[in-house]
Structures are given as C-alpha cells and as structure tokens.
Amino acid sequence: RQIAQGVCVGKFSDNTADTAICQLKTLMSNPEDIRHVPRVLADAGIRFVLVEPFPGMKLDGVCFWLDMNSPVVAMTLRFDRIDNFWFVLMHELRHVANKDGQNGEAIIDENLGAENSGAGEKPEYERVADTEAAEAIIPETVFDDFALRVRPLYSEVRISGFAARIGVHPGIVVGQLHNRKEVPFAHYRKLL
C-alpha cells in the first residue's frame, strides 16, 4: 500500500482497465515488451507494484483500491514463467475492471491457476476473473479451434505457429495447454 501511494498515474475511469487490457494484448508476443506494462497501466490510472516473493510464499497477485478511483495491482512474480506473468496480470486487471475489492477489502490471490488452489469452491468473482483473464489472453473459441485441429499431435512447431498467428508468446499457449490438461505439465517447459 505504501509503495502504491508513491506511484504516479493518470486518471482512472470505468473504461481504462478494458482499454489497458487491449493495449497489453499487443505486448504478449515478446518477453522484452513486458517492460512497457507499468507505463500502460499508469496511463490507465492503475498503480502497478511488484513485490519480491519470500520462501514458502504462495501469493501471486493482489487487487486493492486506495480510494474509489485508485486501483492497485500488485504481483509477486514467484514463478519465472511468461504464462504465469500474463495470467496473473490479466486476472488482477479483470478484478479492477469488475471493481472487485472496491469496498475496501483487498482481493488476495494465492496459487492462481493451481489445480487445488485452496479448500472449497472459489467465490464467483474469482471464477469470473479466471474466465475473463483466459479469454483476454486467448479467446476460448480460437484456442478450441487450434486444439480440435491439432490434438493430440502437439509439437513445438505447431504451438509456435499458432502463437505467432494469434500474437502471443508460445509459452502462453503452453500454459493454456497445461491448464486445460491437453498435455502433461512436464511437456514443452523450455517454451515457458
């Protein structure tokens, strides 16, 4: 919270989170373009904070509000994988766009994308953020079309070709394949 208060940002409005998500989509193909994320979010009025994880930490991201017009997205980067970075970021931005946590309660996300991310069922706002984040990264119809054409003969060449066609890094496609259990988690790790 203290770090976020020192971040200079533009004016936030109801449309700026969705606009930022569209702008960020153009940065997903090249890992070096991640350096532009803080500027895109600041221009949208969204404070972006990175916090170094400590051993045993399960925290991936947090969405909270300094006031009704000052959203903050914080991430730990506990996994050094491009698929995790983009999913956690988009998940937290969907919380901002949906105004989750605007009542003063921080939305704390642990083990995002994990099979068993905690006891019991996820709250509805978490399921919505998961679905909308995945859709913002690779639309479900586009991904389903790829899977139907290629399954079970996935290869690095096919994954990379699909990623290039839709404008994302191949590691993002691999992350989706892992999450959907299309391929075992041990496969295509070098693309992440």
Side-chain angles (χ1 to χ4, degrees):
R1 188 174 291 276
Q2 290 172 340
I3 295 169
Q5 289 171 338
V7 176
C8 294
V9 296
K11 183 173 171 50
F12 178 78
S13 72
D14 288 344
N15 301 330
T16 56
D18 289 325
T19 301
I21 289 170
C22 289
Q23 291 174 340
L24 291 172
K25 177 79 174 153
T26 66
L27 305 177
M28 288 185 187
S29 63
N30 186 359
E32 288 79 28
D33 288 343
I34 289 174
R35 71 180 187 267
H36 300 295
V37 169
R39 179 192 44 80
V40 170
L41 295 179
D43 290 348
I46 302 168
R47 289 164 172 80
F48 182 60
V49 177
L50 295 176
V51 180
E52 187 172 344
F54 52 84
M57 179 183 242
K58 303 268 191 262
L59 184 70
D60 291 308
V62 178
C63 169
F64 64 94
W65 299 72
L66 298 175
D67 60 46
M68 295 301 275
N69 293 308
S70 301
V72 178
V73 167
M75 292 174 54
T76 64
L77 303 179
R78 72 184 179 108
F79 294 119
D80 186 19
R81 298 188 333 247
I82 195 161
D83 67 316
N84 183 262
F85 173 84
W86 284 110
F87 183 76
V88 172
L89 179 62
M90 289 299 173
H91 179 94
E92 300 308 327
L93 288 174
R94 291 314 311 164
H95 281 314
V96 171
N98 297 336
K99 295 188 171 38
D100 297 334
Q102 205 174 36
N103 62 356
E105 279 189 44
I107 305 297
I108 299 172
D109 292 309
E110 295 179 328
N111 287 331
L112 274 180
E115 246 180 83
N116 300 315
S117 59
E121 191 69 22
K122 283 184 176 184
E124 178 64 19
Y125 64 87
E126 288 295 349
R127 287 193 302 273
V128 168
D130 281 348
T131 302
E132 291 176 346
E135 186 72 17
I137 295 168
I138 303 175
E140 185 175 12
T141 56
V142 173
F143 195 91
D144 287 347
D145 179 59
F146 168 69
L148 287 171
R149 286 183 292 108
V150 176
R151 180 188 300 126
L153 304 174
Y154 297 106
S155 68
E156 285 186 33
V157 170
R158 287 180 171 169
I159 291 168
S160 296
F162 174 64
R165 186 171 62 80
I166 63 170
V168 301
H169 188 275
I172 295 171
V173 176
V174 170
Q176 293 269 346
L177 287 169
H178 288 164
N179 191 51
R180 291 168 170 243
K181 296 178 179 63
E182 291 280 339
V183 299
F185 280 91
H187 291 196
Y188 309 112
R189 301 299 291 178
K190 74 177 188 178
L191 293 177
L192 295 174

